[in-house]
C-alpha cells in the first residue's frame, strides 16, 4: 500500500459553503385575479447573490367556480380526474430578465396528463388528489371524452372531485418544466433583470368540465391568489464574492436539464389505414418522443375533460421516421383486440421516454380488464371513452450512446406512421384528431457572468 506521504493524487475534501435557506413567495406582477385566456406573469425576483433550488419550487392558486347558485341541475365543475385543476393552464413559459425565452411548452395540460397517467396509483390518490384535485380512485376514474357529455347524477361523477357553484378551492402544482427540473441550483441572484414564469390560461370551456345538463355555466371561472414558492439559498459574503469574481472572469456557468418541445398536426376526420403525420424539430439531443391524440373539437367543449381525453383511433401499430431512418425496424404493436392485447411495447417505450425527465415516472395507474381507465379502450369504445396511451419511442435505445439523437442539422422531418383500423367507432368518426408530439430533449442553461444574461441552448 502506498504511504500517504507519496499519494500525490489525493485531494483534500472540499467543504460545502454555509448557506441560509428560506422559502420566499412571489406574486403576479400583472394582476390579482385572472379569467380564461389571460396570462399570469410571476416574477422570479430573488435577493442578489442567491441561488434557487427550482426542483423544490411549486405554484399555488385558487380556482373559483363562478356558476350561479341554484337551478334544477348541478352546476359544479368536474375536475380532471388525471391532473385536477392543472387543466386551466394551456401554455407554460419561462423568460429571462433580458427577454430571452428559456422554455415554452404548448398544450402543457396534456403533457401533465401523460405524466400523471404514468405515476403509481397510490401517489395520485393521495398527494395528487390533495394538492391538485385529481381523482382519489385513479384506477377507475375516467376522463369524459364523449362530446355529448354526461348528465348529472351520482353515478356519472365517476370518482372525479367536484367544485360546486360559487365555491372556491386552493390547489398546489409542481411545474413540469426544464427550469424546474434543473440538476443544479439556479443562480437567479446573479443574473441581469428579473426572470419570470408566464402561464397562459386555457379557454373558459376548455379549462373546466361540467355535466351536459348543468343549469348554470362555469365557463366564467377565475383563478386568483397565485403564488410561486421559491426555495432560496444565500451563501456567505466570502463565497458570494468569490463566485461573482469567478463568473465575471468570463467563465460561463452551465446548468443541464431535460425539457419538452410541443409540435402539433391534425389527422383528418374518418381517417383510417396508414396515417403519415409529419412534424419538425431542430433539437440537438433528442432523448425520446411521444404523441397523444385527442378529438380536436373536444378541446373547447365544457362537457369534456379535454386535457386527458386521449384516443387511439383503433391503432394497430406505429413507427417513426427520425432523421430519414425508420425506427424501430419493425412497427410497435398496439392492437387492442388482436395479438393478445399487444400493448407492452408502447407502455415500455413511454415509461423509458418519461424516465429521462423523472425516474419516478415508472408506474401506471390504469388497467387492462376493467371497463374504466383502460390503457387503450376497445376499438368499439374509442369514440366515446378515453384511453391513456401515448405513442412513444425511446430514441436513446437507437441513438448514439447516452446523448440522444442530433436532429439540428438533419433538415428532415420527424414522421409518425400510425396504422389505424377501420372499426366504425374509432375516434376519427367523431371529428378530426389533434396529434400532440412532445419531444423530450436535453437543454443547457448558460449564465454569462460578464453580462449577467441567462440563455438556453438545446
Amino acid at each position: 500500500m502506498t504511504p500517504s506521504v507519496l499519494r500525490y493524487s489525493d485531494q483534500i475534501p472540499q467543504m460545502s459553503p454555509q448557506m441560509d435557506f428560506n422559502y420566499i413567495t412571489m406574486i403576479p406582477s400583472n394582476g390579482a385575479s385572472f379569467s380564461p385566456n389571460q396570462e399570469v406573469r410571476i416574477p422570479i425576483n430573488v435577493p442578489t447573490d442567491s441561488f434557487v433550488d427550482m426542483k423544490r419550487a411549486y405554484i399555488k392558486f385558487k380556482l373559483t367556480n363562478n356558476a350561479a347558485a341554484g337551478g334544477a341541475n348541478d352546476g359544479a365543475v368536474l375536475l380532471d380526474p388525471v391532473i385536477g385543476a392543472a387543466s386551466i393552464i394551456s401554455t407554460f413559459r419561462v423568460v429571462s430578465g433580458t427577454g430571452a425565452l428559456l422554455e415554452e411548452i404548448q398544450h402543457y395540460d396534456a403533457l401533465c396528463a401523460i405524466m400523471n397517467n404514468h405515476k403509481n396509483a397510490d401517489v395520485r390518490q393521495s398527494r395528487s388528489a390533495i394538492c391538485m384535485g385529481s381523482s382519489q380512485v385513479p384506477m377507475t376514474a375516467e376522463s369524459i371524452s364523449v362530446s355529448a357529455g354526461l348528465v348529472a347524477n351520482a353515478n356519472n361523477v365517476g370518482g372525479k372531485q367536484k367544485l360546486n357553484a360559487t365555491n372556491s378551492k386552493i390547489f398546489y402544482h409542481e411545474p413540469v418544466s426544464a427550469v424546474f427540473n434543473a440538476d443544479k441550483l439556479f443562480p437567479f441572484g446573479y443574473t441581469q433583470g428579473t426572470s419570470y414564469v408566464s402561464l397562459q390560461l386555457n379557454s373558459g370551456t376548455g379549462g373546466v368540465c361540467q355535466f351536459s345538463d348543468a343549469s348554470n355555466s362555469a365557463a366564467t371561472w377565475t383563478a386568483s391568489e397565485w403564488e410561486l414558492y421559491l426555495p432560496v439559498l444565500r451563501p456567505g459574503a466570502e463565497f458570494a464574492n468569490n463566485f461573482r469574481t469567478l463568473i465575471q472572469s468570463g467563465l460561463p456557468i452551465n446548468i443541464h436539464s431535460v425539457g419538452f418541445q410541443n409540435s402539433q398536426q391534425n389527422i383528418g376526420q374518418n381517417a383510417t389505414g396508414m396515417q403519415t403525420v409529419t412534424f419538425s424539430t431542430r433539437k440537438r439531443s433528442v432523448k425520446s418522443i411521444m404523441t397523444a391524440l385527442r378529438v380536436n373539437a373536444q378541446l373547447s367543449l365544457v362537457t369534456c375533460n379535454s386535457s386527458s381525453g386521449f384516443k387511439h383511433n383503433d391503432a394497430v401499430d406505429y413507427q417513426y421516421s427520425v432523421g430519414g431512418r425508420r425506427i424501430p425496424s419493425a412497427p410497435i404493436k398496439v392492437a387492442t383486440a388482436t395479438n393478445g392485447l399487444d400493448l407492452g411495447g408502447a407502455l415500455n417505450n413511454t415509461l423509458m421516454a418519461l424516465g429521462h425527465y423523472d425516474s419516478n415516472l415508472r408506474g401506471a395507474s390504469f388497467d387492462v380488464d376493467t371497463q374504466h381507465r383502460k390503457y387503450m379502450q376497445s376499438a368499439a369504445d374509442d369514440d366515446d371513452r378515453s384511453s391513456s396511451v401515448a405513442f412513444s419511442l425511446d430514441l436513446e435505445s437507437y441513438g448514439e450512446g447516452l446523448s440522444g439523437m442530433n436532429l439540428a442539422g438533419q433538415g428532415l422531418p420527424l414522421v409518425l406512421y400510425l396504422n389505424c383500423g377501420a372499426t366504425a367507432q374509432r375516434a376519427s368518426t367523431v371529428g378530426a384528431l389533434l396529434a400532440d408530439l412532445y419531444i423530450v430533449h436535453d437543454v443547457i442553461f448558460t449564465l454569462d457572468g460578464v453580462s449577467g444574461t441567462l440563455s438556453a441552448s438545446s
Side-chain angles (χ1 to χ4, degrees), residues 135-285:
S135 175
Q136 289 184 295
V137 285
M139 295 298 290
T140 57
E142 185 181 352
S143 302
I144 302 173
S145 60
V146 54
S147 299
L150 300 177
V151 298
N153 65 63
N155 293 330
N156 281 339
V157 174
K160 303 173 188 66
Q161 294 196 49
K162 293 171 62 176
L163 181 59
N164 292 323
T166 73
N167 285 9
S168 301
K169 188 174 181 180
I170 300 290
F171 298 97
Y172 292 83
H173 178 61
E174 294 182 7
V176 177
S177 155
V179 173
F180 285 76
N181 194 47
D183 58 7
K184 292 183 176 65
L185 300 179
F186 244 99
F188 280 115
Y190 294 85
T191 62
Q192 179 182 344
T194 302
S195 302
Y196 63 89
V197 175
S198 169
L199 306 173
Q200 185 68 42
L201 299 185
N202 217 325
S203 66
T205 54
V208 299
C209 176
Q210 284 188 283
F211 289 118
S212 60
D213 58 348
S215 297
N216 300 305
S217 173
T220 57
W221 52 267
T222 54
S224 58
E225 299 182 19
W226 290 86
E227 295 177 351
L228 172 60
Y229 288 82
L230 296 173
V232 175
L233 297 94
R234 300 190 66 181
E238 181 181 1
F239 178 87
N241 291 333
N242 289 340
F243 184 78
R244 187 169 287 279
T245 300
L246 176 67
I247 62 176
Q248 287 180 346
S249 68
L251 178 69
I253 302 300
N254 295 321
I255 302 171
H256 170 264
S257 188
V258 174
F260 300 89
Q261 181 193 36
N262 173 260
S263 183
Q264 305 155 24
Q265 289 292 347
N266 286 321
I267 296 177
Q269 186 171 4
N270 296 316
T272 186
M274 182 60 71
Q275 300 300 307
T276 303
V277 190
T278 303
F279 304 95
S280 62
T281 182
R282 291 286 185 177
K283 298 301 179 182
R284 282 197 290 268
S285 179

Side-chain angles (χ1 to χ4, degrees), residues 61-372:
F61 63 94
K62 181 172 76 173
L63 180 63
T64 300
N65 180 358
N66 290 320
N73 296 318
D74 194 342
V77 164
L78 300 175
L79 295 175
D80 192 288
V82 181
I83 61 172
S87 61
I88 69 170
I89 305 174
S90 175
T91 302
F92 187 99
R93 299 184 185 91
V94 181
V95 181
S96 76
T98 56
L101 183 64
L102 301 180
E103 180 178 24
E104 180 182 52
I105 306 174
Q106 297 179 354
H107 289 181
Y108 174 80
D109 52 337
L111 175 62
C112 291
I114 296 174
M115 291 271 189
N116 278 13
N117 275 332
H118 295 85
K119 290 182 179 178
N120 287 327
D122 56 349
V123 175
R124 285 184 52 191
Q125 69 187 13
S126 54
R127 184 180 182 185
S128 295
I130 293 171
C131 293
M132 279 308 301
S134 63
S135 175
Q136 289 184 295
V137 285
M139 295 298 290
T140 57
E142 185 181 352
S143 302
I144 302 173
S145 60
V146 54
S147 299
L150 300 177
V151 298
N153 65 63
N155 293 330
N156 281 339
V157 174
K160 303 173 188 66
Q161 294 196 49
K162 293 171 62 176
L163 181 59
N164 292 323
T166 73
N167 285 9
S168 301
K169 188 174 181 180
I170 300 290
F171 298 97
Y172 292 83
H173 178 61
E174 294 182 7
V176 177
S177 155
V179 173
F180 285 76
N181 194 47
D183 58 7
K184 292 183 176 65
L185 300 179
F186 244 99
F188 280 115
Y190 294 85
T191 62
Q192 179 182 344
T194 302
S195 302
Y196 63 89
V197 175
S198 169
L199 306 173
Q200 185 68 42
L201 299 185
N202 217 325
S203 66
T205 54
V208 299
C209 176
Q210 284 188 283
F211 289 118
S212 60
D213 58 348
S215 297
N216 300 305
S217 173
T220 57
W221 52 267
T222 54
S224 58
E225 299 182 19
W226 290 86
E227 295 177 351
L228 172 60
Y229 288 82
L230 296 173
V232 175
L233 297 94
R234 300 190 66 181
E238 181 181 1
F239 178 87
N241 291 333
N242 289 340
F243 184 78
R244 187 169 287 279
T245 300
L246 176 67
I247 62 176
Q248 287 180 346
S249 68
L251 178 69
I253 302 300
N254 295 321
I255 302 171
H256 170 264
S257 188
V258 174
F260 300 89
Q261 181 193 36
N262 173 260
S263 183
Q264 305 155 24
Q265 289 292 347
N266 286 321
I267 296 177
Q269 186 171 4
N270 296 316
T272 186
M274 182 60 71
Q275 300 300 307
T276 303
V277 190
T278 303
F279 304 95
S280 62
T281 182
R282 291 286 185 177
K283 298 301 179 182
R284 282 197 290 268
S285 179
V286 178
K287 300 284 193 181
S288 51
I289 47 183
M290 309 177 294
T291 302
L293 305 181
R294 293 178 290 169
V295 177
N296 211 335
Q298 292 181 357
L299 270 62
S300 58
L301 289 181
V302 76
T303 53
C304 296
N305 293 121
S306 60
S307 300
S308 58
F310 300 132
K311 302 292 187 179
H312 60 77
N313 201 43
D314 191 17
V316 177
D317 55 50
Y318 70 93
Q319 190 180 34
Y320 283 92
S321 175
V322 183
R325 180 161 62 101
R326 290 284 188 108
I327 304 176
S329 56
I332 298 172
K333 302 293 184 182
V334 289
T336 60
T338 59
N339 303 311
L341 294 176
D342 193 352
L343 304 175
L347 176 57
N348 286 334
N349 267 279
T350 302
L351 293 177
M352 288 189 290
L354 293 173
H356 294 297
Y357 178 82
D358 187 347
S359 59
N360 292 324
L361 297 167
R362 298 293 191 184
S365 49
F366 35 75
D367 208 337
V368 174
D369 298 322
T370 58
Q371 180 182 14
H372 303 290

Side-chain angles (χ1 to χ4, degrees), residues 430-445:
V430 178
L433 302 179
L434 175 69
D436 272 303
L437 173 72
Y438 294 96
I439 298 162
V440 185
H441 61 89
D442 285 314
V443 56
I444 299 294
F445 300 103

